Amino acid sequence: MIAWRLLIHCTDQPGLVHQVTGLLFKRGCNVIVNHEFADADAGRFFMRTEFTGDLDPGDLVEDCRSVLPGEAVIRLTRPSRARLVVLVSREHHCLADLLVRHEFGELPAEVVGVIGNHAELGSLTGRFGVPFQHVSHDGLSREEHERRLLERIRALAPDYLVLAKYMRVLSPEFVAQFAGRMINIHHSFLPAFVGSRPYHQAFARGVKVIGATAHFVTDELDAGPIIVQELLPVDHTHSPQDLARSGRDVERLALAKALRMVLEDRVFLNGNRTVIFD
Amino acid sequence: MIAWRLLIHCTDQPGLVHQVTGLLFKRGCNVIVNHEFADADAGRFFMRTEFTGDLDPGDLVEDCRSVLPGEAVIRLTRPSRARLVVLVSREHHCLADLLVRHEFGELPAEVVGVIGNHAELGSLTGRFGVPFQHVSHDGLSREEHERRLLERIRALAPDYLVLAKYMRVLSPEFVAQFAGRMINIHHSFLPAFVGSRPYHQAFARGVKVIGATAHFVTDELDAGPIIVQELLPVDHTHSPQDLARSGRDVERLALAKALRMVLEDRVFLNGNRTVIFD
Amino acid sequence: MIAWRLLIHCTDQPGLVHQVTGLLFKRGCNVIVNHEFADADAGRFFMRTEFTGDLDPGDLVEDCRSVLPGEAVIRLTRPSRARLVVLVSREHHCLADLLVRHEFGELPAEVVGVIGNHAELGSLTGRFGVPFQHVSHDGLSREEHERRLLERIRALAPDYLVLAKYMRVLSPEFVAQFAGRMINIHHSFLPAFVGSRPYHQAFARGVKVIGATAHFVTDELDAGPIIVQELLPVDHTHSPQDLARSGRDVERLALAKALRMVLEDRVFLNGNRTVIFD
Amino acid sequence: MIAWRLLIHCTDQPGLVHQVTGLLFKRGCNVIVNHEFADADAGRFFMRTEFTGDLDPGDLVEDCRSVLPGEAVIRLTRPSRARLVVLVSREHHCLADLLVRHEFGELPAEVVGVIGNHAELGSLTGRFGVPFQHVSHDGLSREEHERRLLERIRALAPDYLVLAKYMRVLSPEFVAQFAGRMINIHHSFLPAFVGSRPYHQAFARGVKVIGATAHFVTDELDAGPIIVQELLPVDHTHSPQDLARSGRDVERLALAKALRMVLEDRVFLNGNRTVIFD
């Protein structure tokens, strides 16, 4: 029996669960786990079903389409290894964490390439048998740099793009290429401390907790839909450098957790919010 | 339209969700939220559906019974105010928390009575307009004391019995009367530190985190199904008294959270474990 | 032997700990616990010593002054019950929490009065034997309302003023009267979601964690020195109302914890940050 | 100016802080941070001072000895790189975490060798330029296996021995060689679930939170002084395998945090408890 995941997102209306589960029941599929959520205010319906069964995937999607509203987004996936490309700058901790998880089978994906605007992390990447490309931004306009990045990324045909402490702002044109497929780790508990040097901002404000936020990237800097937020208590003895050091631990945890959610098809976009079936 | 909750617990088999949602769809009911969980190892199926609809409750239960396995436990409830009886000894914090929540409509239940084996908490209870009864254990055998307790409790006809820092061990015979309906707050992160003086045990062991556990009461002391666990970091500067003081905050939080889960019909027993749809 | 707390805040310079502990040693005092912190960037020194001893408090402060820099702030206190006045509006949860802790000796202070700009919480307050005054703002200018508040507050001679969900903005003139002595509970994880309706803001932003912040009040709205921040995970199923309900639990925890810190003389102001010896 | 750490542990008596800080003041040393703790019940005094100064370390220790009780433990260290030997079996996550931190200068120590009773982790270790030795236990008595281990360990002259998921029980004789210098990561929130298969135990008990405990190793299995405990919420949908997977994240966090505390000389043993100045 083959394992499948059926993901549906559409306008809410009565009977959706009954109808969709009926299509699976009719085919003798065995539902393992089922999640639904209706956003009453927005009138949106979200459903995720894990099941096993022998079927023609096109047929099932066709059948779903016949019972669901016209604008329904329907995905039928199999727990295979999505292709990831990771963008980095100089900081190692999130990349190292992903490479270790990848090496030992904890990341349900294939890291098909790492691209840095600096060369530093090439050695680390190489030791895990993953190709590293250095695409420097030196002396280039943002447009030209992004053009070169895009070329390399497209050649790798990723399902998802991961910004693992990639420290340059990307243009709306670049971002638009990967809507809902680009995940960033921001080093603060958003929406507090958007922008640069968040640990210095946090220190100056005297907060007692710091955080990290993994989110989808949208046009607006640091304002995309939040996937995971992790936190850590701090106190008056911590310098901005201490905050940054502590922050590295929550950053990589938040990013790893967000990636697992996304790769297991547990995350739906709902406007600027996320629905997560975990 | 009337709001209902349908709760089902039975042997797992294919098509259950489809069949049950079909019964609701047929009646024109509007599902608000739906949770299912199949425990694959135990072969058990759990389902909780909130919906609105005009129906004859007996009819729906009948229909459910016709499509579900024979041993299915089926409950159809309405979000009404369950009746609670609270048992206390001398410590005030959990009782005060419940009385305040009750007074201000945060506890979806009616506290119909408080019974103490000591008299101290009568004044507090009275100020919130709830009847207090003192049933002293002085000079009584456990059997006789429990007999008197039972008499008072039965007269109050509670749906649930809450042990809010009730410090006497209850006999298996007493416990059996309230299987799945008696909730206790234990002052430790069970299964660590079962038995008495858990904060002294925690201090002696030098733990760095303390906790509280809200659980259903069963025959075996401190071994019943866990509903909620809350935690708090501590350090070497804390005495057992400090631990106990900090513990009071997590105790009342854990108990309040567990009660809300139970009163909203979100908790299923699954052997000695719980399934919680929150 | 009498218990004392010596609190010192001054420019940092070598030998401060040695000199101050020498003054205590000379008098045969017994140090129970000692905390120091030097803020290297700001060049500030903070010290808190709990000790027992028979001494003339004026003499010790005099001696401290002779060995400390001219601008040193020196306080010698005894663990007595500070006088608290609580300002409220309509929400009960923080006030109820303080009243219960007060009643059962968990709050090391005397709540000498509660003042509400609405009348609702008078009944609750009265049940705990604390005087309640209703000072309505209806039809009054802010100046006039604050003048009336100040009159009542001054008559109660509080050491600290607690804003327990007091929902009106106070003028800089009012705030200036209680610099370092007025504690507010803000219903968000500051600096995220300053201003009004933070739970609606948090919902709209789709955050995965909400929080509460207890802080000293300064001229700038929601920008005063932070004392305590408490947090709670949330998810896509929570409405703004759910967030607010969950928030009530962290709000009262954060406020109670902050008050205990302040009342035990553990909190120093350091510019717009706090130094907390806990 | 050279940075030093002075660590003192002795019977408590009046004037200790004054006397020790006097010795530093006399030499013109500049105290950066100072921590003291007196365990009133046990009558023990703990002090840790970070300072800068040009001095003869032997002289200062001598002077300290002259003012401190005879049994005082006095250590004067410099923030250098302690030598670590890591013992592993088959699980990679804690080792990988240490190797990454080591490579990027986040671990204030030198990992001088990794020894496995299985060969699997040799490849990972080698990629980080750290020598790996395979000392199989196959066909050997425990005594003989430990003799071989000891031989290799001694040749590496470690300051600390780290059990990073080393899955064999060590004899009291072995443990005695590294009293206060051997740190283990246990995959549960001790004292809950001592012994083997803690995640299966946790699943069976139906707990709602799992944890990991970093502790010093003593004769008694899983009963040594606790350094760090980290926790994670879980629910009814988690299998023992899910718990183990989640557990890996808290295990490596707890171990890394404990190691940093130990390597920065922040941890004192106090009977079977620890005093930690963080």
Side-chain angles (χ1 to χ4, degrees):
Chain A
M1 295 287 269
I2 299 169
W4 302 91
R5 295 175 190 149
L6 177 62
L7 310 155
I8 291 168
H9 175 191
C10 63
T11 306
D12 195 19
Q13 63 184 44
L16 290 175
V17 176
H18 176 61
Q19 288 168 316
V20 174
T21 54
L23 298 175
L24 299 174
F25 185 45
K26 197 177 69 182
R27 282 172 170 78
C29 297
N30 191 28
V31 172
I32 299 164
V33 66
N34 217 31
H35 286 96
E36 308 101 31
F37 173 67
D39 180 336
D41 289 332
R44 306 296 300 169
F45 173 80
F46 304 86
M47 179 170 182
R48 177 186 185 277
T49 303
E50 285 186 31
F51 64 94
T52 54
D54 293 318
L55 50 78
D56 179 310
D59 279 4
L60 178 60
V61 171
E62 189 89 359
D63 278 9
C64 284
R65 199 158 297 289
S66 72
V67 303
L68 294 172
E71 41 67 80
V73 179
I74 305 167
R75 293 173 61 204
L76 183 61
T77 72
R78 294 183 48 194
S80 62
R81 294 167 66 78
R83 297 170 65 85
L84 298 191
V85 167
V86 184
L87 261 59
V88 298
S89 290
R90 283 184 165 119
E91 288 182 82
H92 72 282
H93 55 288
C94 286
L95 175 62
D97 188 73
L98 297 183
L99 291 171
V100 169
R101 289 178 194 269
H102 182 236
E103 161 103 5
F104 289 93
E106 279 188 52
L107 193 70
E110 190 175 357
V111 180
V112 294
V114 175
I115 302 176
N117 62 325
H118 294 279
E120 275 91 335
L121 297 177
S123 159
L124 175 72
T125 307
R127 274 178 267 171
F128 286 89
V130 172
F132 180 89
Q133 304 183 55
H134 178 204
V135 181
S136 172
H137 60 275
D138 262 12
L140 300 183
S141 66
R142 187 163 76 164
E143 289 68 26
E144 176 56 20
H145 185 237
E146 290 190 351
R147 203 192 52 72
R148 295 189 188 184
L149 280 179
L150 261 181
E151 196 178 273
R152 309 292 182 97
I153 294 167
R154 280 192 187 132
L156 294 165
D159 295 296
Y160 294 100
L161 201 56
V162 181
L163 307 187
K165 307 296 292 175
Y166 181 71
M167 302 308 279
R168 287 175 65 84
V169 175
L170 294 164
S171 70
E173 293 71 33
F174 187 98
V175 169
Q177 313 268 339
F178 301 97
R181 300 194 293 131
M182 178 157 47
I183 295 116
N184 183 45
I185 179 70
H186 183 81
H187 37 330
S188 90
F189 178 73
L190 289 174
F193 313 126
V194 297
S196 68
R197 293 168 62 87
Y199 292 122
H200 282 80
Q201 292 184 58
F203 176 83
R205 184 62 188 89
V207 294
K208 300 300 185 187
V209 180
I210 58 165
T213 303
H215 63 101
F216 287 111
V217 181
T218 55
D219 277 17
E220 196 184 335
L221 184 65
D222 301 334
I226 292 170
I227 309 168
V228 168
Q229 298 191 295
E230 293 282 332
L231 297 138
L232 202 65
V234 294
D235 65 38
H236 63 271
T237 64
H238 291 82
S239 67
Q241 290 71 33
D242 292 330
L243 298 185
R245 189 201 55 202
S246 298
R248 286 195 287 267
D249 282 342
V250 281
E251 286 171 18
R252 56 187 203 167
L253 268 190
L255 181 57
K257 195 168 162 188
L259 274 180
R260 191 164 62 78
M261 291 292 122
V262 168
L263 294 168
E264 292 180 2
D265 294 321
R266 297 181 180 279
V267 184
F268 289 81
L269 284 169
N270 183 21
N272 200 45
R273 312 173 74 236
T274 56
V275 168
I276 301 185
F277 295 134
D278 64 351
Chain B
M1 297 286 269
I2 299 170
W4 302 92
R5 295 175 190 147
L6 177 62
L7 311 155
I8 291 168
H9 175 191
C10 63
T11 306
D12 195 20
Q13 62 183 44
L16 290 175
V17 176
H18 177 60
Q19 288 167 315
V20 174
T21 54
L23 298 174
L24 298 173
F25 186 45
K26 197 177 70 183
R27 281 172 171 77
C29 297
N30 191 27
V31 172
I32 299 165
V33 66
N34 217 31
H35 286 97
E36 309 100 31
F37 174 67
D39 180 336
D41 289 332
R44 305 299 299 169
F45 172 80
F46 304 86
M47 179 171 183
R48 178 188 187 276
T49 302
E50 286 186 29
F51 64 95
T52 55
D54 292 317
L55 50 79
D56 179 311
D59 278 5
L60 178 60
V61 171
E62 189 89 358
D63 277 10
C64 284
R65 199 158 297 290
S66 72
V67 303
L68 294 173
E71 43 65 78
V73 178
I74 305 168
R75 293 175 59 205
L76 184 61
T77 71
R78 293 185 49 195
S80 61
R81 294 167 66 78
R83 297 171 64 86
L84 297 192
V85 167
V86 184
L87 261 59
V88 299
S89 290
R90 284 185 164 120
E91 287 183 84
H92 73 283
H93 56 288
C94 286
L95 175 62
D97 188 74
L98 296 182
L99 291 172
V100 169
R101 290 178 194 270
H102 182 235
E103 161 103 4
F104 289 92
E106 280 188 52
L107 192 70
E110 191 175 358
V111 180
V112 295
V114 175
I115 301 175
N117 63 324
H118 295 278
E120 276 91 333
L121 297 176
S123 159
L124 175 72
T125 307
R127 274 178 269 172
F128 286 88
V130 172
F132 180 89
Q133 303 182 57
H134 177 204
V135 181
S136 171
H137 60 274
D138 262 13
L140 302 182
S141 67
R142 188 163 76 163
E143 288 68 25
E144 176 56 18
H145 184 237
E146 291 190 351
R147 202 191 52 71
R148 295 189 187 184
L149 280 178
L150 261 181
E151 196 178 272
R152 310 292 182 98
I153 294 167
R154 279 195 188 128
L156 294 164
D159 296 297
Y160 294 100
L161 201 56
V162 181
L163 308 187
K165 307 296 292 174
Y166 181 72
M167 303 307 280
R168 287 175 64 84
V169 175
L170 295 163
S171 71
E173 292 71 30
F174 187 98
V175 169
Q177 313 268 340
F178 301 97
R181 299 194 295 130
M182 177 156 46
I183 294 116
N184 183 44
I185 179 69
H186 183 82
H187 38 329
S188 89
F189 178 75
L190 289 174
F193 312 126
V194 297
S196 67
R197 293 168 62 87
Y199 293 121
H200 283 82
Q201 292 184 58
F203 175 84
R205 183 61 188 87
V207 293
K208 300 300 186 187
V209 180
I210 57 163
T213 303
H215 63 101
F216 288 111
V217 181
T218 55
D219 277 16
E220 196 184 335
L221 183 66
D222 302 333
I226 292 170
I227 309 169
V228 169
Q229 299 192 295
E230 294 282 332
L231 296 139
L232 202 65
V234 294
D235 65 37
H236 63 270
T237 65
H238 292 81
S239 66
Q241 289 72 33
D242 293 329
L243 299 185
R245 191 201 53 202
S246 299
R248 286 196 287 267
D249 282 341
V250 281
E251 286 170 18
R252 56 188 203 164
L253 268 190
L255 181 57
K257 196 169 162 188
L259 274 180
R260 191 164 61 79
M261 291 293 121
V262 168
L263 293 168
E264 292 179 1
D265 294 322
R266 297 180 180 281
V267 184
F268 290 81
L269 284 170
N270 183 20
N272 201 43
R273 312 174 74 236
T274 57
V275 168
I276 301 185
F277 294 134
D278 64 352
Chain C
M1 297 287 271
I2 299 169
W4 302 91
R5 295 175 190 148
L6 177 63
L7 311 155
I8 291 169
H9 175 192
C10 62
T11 306
D12 195 19
Q13 64 184 43
L16 290 174
V17 176
H18 176 60
Q19 288 168 316
V20 174
T21 53
L23 298 175
L24 299 174
F25 185 44
K26 198 175 69 183
R27 281 172 170 77
C29 298
N30 190 28
V31 172
I32 298 163
V33 65
N34 217 32
H35 286 96
E36 307 102 31
F37 174 66
D39 180 334
D41 289 332
R44 306 298 300 168
F45 172 80
F46 303 85
M47 180 170 183
R48 178 187 186 276
T49 303
E50 285 186 28
F51 64 95
T52 54
D54 292 318
L55 51 79
D56 178 311
D59 278 5
L60 178 61
V61 171
E62 188 90 359
D63 278 9
C64 284
R65 200 159 296 290
S66 72
V67 303
L68 294 173
E71 42 66 80
V73 178
I74 305 167
R75 293 174 61 204
L76 183 62
T77 71
R78 293 184 48 192
S80 61
R81 293 167 66 81
R83 296 171 65 85
L84 297 191
V85 167
V86 184
L87 262 60
V88 299
S89 290
R90 281 184 167 120
E91 287 183 84
H92 72 283
H93 55 289
C94 286
L95 175 62
D97 187 74
L98 296 183
L99 290 171
V100 169
R101 289 178 194 269
H102 182 235
E103 160 104 4
F104 289 93
E106 279 189 52
L107 193 69
E110 190 175 356
V111 179
V112 294
V114 175
I115 301 175
N117 63 324
H118 295 278
E120 276 91 334
L121 297 177
S123 159
L124 175 71
T125 307
R127 273 178 268 170
F128 285 89
V130 172
F132 180 88
Q133 304 182 56
H134 178 205
V135 181
S136 173
H137 60 275
D138 262 12
L140 300 184
S141 66
R142 187 164 74 165
E143 288 69 26
E144 176 56 20
H145 184 237
E146 291 190 351
R147 203 191 52 72
R148 295 189 187 184
L149 280 179
L150 261 181
E151 198 177 270
R152 309 291 182 98
I153 294 167
R154 279 194 187 130
L156 293 165
D159 295 297
Y160 294 99
L161 202 56
V162 182
L163 307 187
K165 306 297 291 174
Y166 181 72
M167 301 309 278
R168 287 175 64 85
V169 175
L170 294 163
S171 71
E173 292 71 32
F174 186 98
V175 168
Q177 314 268 340
F178 301 96
R181 300 194 293 132
M182 179 157 45
I183 294 116
N184 183 45
I185 179 71
H186 183 81
H187 37 330
S188 90
F189 178 74
L190 290 175
F193 312 127
V194 297
S196 67
R197 294 169 59 89
Y199 292 123
H200 282 81
Q201 292 184 56
F203 175 83
R205 182 62 188 89
V207 294
K208 300 301 185 188
V209 179
I210 57 163
T213 303
H215 63 100
F216 288 112
V217 181
T218 55
D219 277 16
E220 197 183 336
L221 184 66
D222 300 335
I226 293 170
I227 308 168
V228 168
Q229 300 192 294
E230 293 282 331
L231 297 138
L232 202 66
V234 295
D235 64 38
H236 63 271
T237 65
H238 292 83
S239 67
Q241 289 71 32
D242 293 330
L243 298 186
R245 190 200 54 203
S246 298
R248 286 196 286 267
D249 281 342
V250 280
E251 287 171 18
R252 55 188 204 167
L253 267 192
L255 181 57
K257 196 168 161 189
L259 273 180
R260 192 165 60 77
M261 290 292 121
V262 168
L263 294 167
E264 293 180 0
D265 295 321
R266 296 181 180 281
V267 184
F268 290 81
L269 285 169
N270 183 21
N272 201 44
R273 313 173 72 235
T274 57
V275 168
I276 301 185
F277 295 134
D278 64 351
Chain D
M1 297 286 270
I2 299 169
W4 302 92
R5 295 175 189 149
L6 177 62
L7 311 154
I8 290 168
H9 176 192
C10 61
T11 307
D12 194 18
Q13 63 183 45
L16 290 175
V17 176
H18 177 60
Q19 288 168 316
V20 173
T21 53
L23 298 174
L24 298 174
F25 185 46
K26 197 176 70 183
R27 282 171 171 79
C29 297
N30 191 28
V31 171
I32 298 164
V33 65
N34 218 31
H35 286 97
E36 308 100 31
F37 174 67
D39 180 336
D41 288 333
R44 305 299 299 168
F45 173 81
F46 303 86
M47 179 170 183
R48 178 187 186 276
T49 303
E50 286 187 28
F51 63 95
T52 54
D54 292 318
L55 51 78
D56 179 311
D59 278 5
L60 178 60
V61 172
E62 189 89 358
D63 278 10
C64 284
R65 200 158 297 290
S66 71
V67 303
L68 294 172
E71 41 66 81
V73 178
I74 305 167
R75 292 174 61 204
L76 183 61
T77 71
R78 294 184 48 194
S80 62
R81 294 169 65 78
R83 297 170 65 87
L84 298 192
V85 167
V86 184
L87 261 60
V88 299
S89 290
R90 282 183 166 123
E91 287 182 85
H92 72 282
H93 55 289
C94 286
L95 175 63
D97 188 73
L98 297 183
L99 290 171
V100 169
R101 290 178 194 269
H102 182 235
E103 161 102 4
F104 288 93
E106 279 188 51
L107 193 70
E110 191 174 357
V111 179
V112 294
V114 175
I115 301 176
N117 63 323
H118 295 279
E120 276 91 333
L121 297 176
S123 159
L124 174 72
T125 307
R127 274 179 269 171
F128 286 89
V130 172
F132 180 88
Q133 303 182 57
H134 178 205
V135 181
S136 172
H137 61 274
D138 262 12
L140 301 183
S141 66
R142 187 163 76 163
E143 288 69 24
E144 175 56 19
H145 185 237
E146 290 191 350
R147 202 192 53 72
R148 295 188 188 185
L149 280 178
L150 261 181
E151 194 177 273
R152 309 292 182 98
I153 294 167
R154 281 194 185 131
L156 294 165
D159 296 297
Y160 294 99
L161 202 56
V162 181
L163 308 187
K165 307 296 291 174
Y166 182 72
M167 303 307 280
R168 286 175 64 85
V169 175
L170 294 163
S171 70
E173 293 70 32
F174 186 97
V175 169
Q177 313 267 340
F178 301 96
R181 299 194 295 131
M182 178 154 48
I183 294 117
N184 184 45
I185 179 70
H186 183 80
H187 38 330
S188 91
F189 178 74
L190 289 174
F193 312 127
V194 297
S196 68
R197 294 169 60 89
Y199 292 121
H200 283 81
Q201 292 183 57
F203 175 83
R205 183 62 188 86
V207 293
K208 300 300 185 187
V209 180
I210 57 163
T213 303
H215 64 100
F216 288 110
V217 181
T218 55
D219 276 16
E220 196 183 336
L221 185 65
D222 300 334
I226 292 170
I227 309 170
V228 168
Q229 298 192 295
E230 294 282 333
L231 297 138
L232 202 66
V234 295
D235 65 36
H236 64 270
T237 65
H238 292 82
S239 67
Q241 290 71 33
D242 293 330
L243 299 185
R245 190 201 53 201
S246 299
R248 286 196 287 267
D249 283 341
V250 281
E251 287 171 18
R252 55 188 202 166
L253 267 190
L255 181 58
K257 195 168 162 188
L259 274 180
R260 193 165 61 78
M261 290 292 121
V262 168
L263 293 168
E264 292 179 2
D265 295 321
R266 296 181 180 281
V267 184
F268 289 81
L269 285 169
N270 183 21
N272 201 43
R273 312 173 74 236
T274 57
V275 168
I276 301 185
F277 294 133
D278 64 350

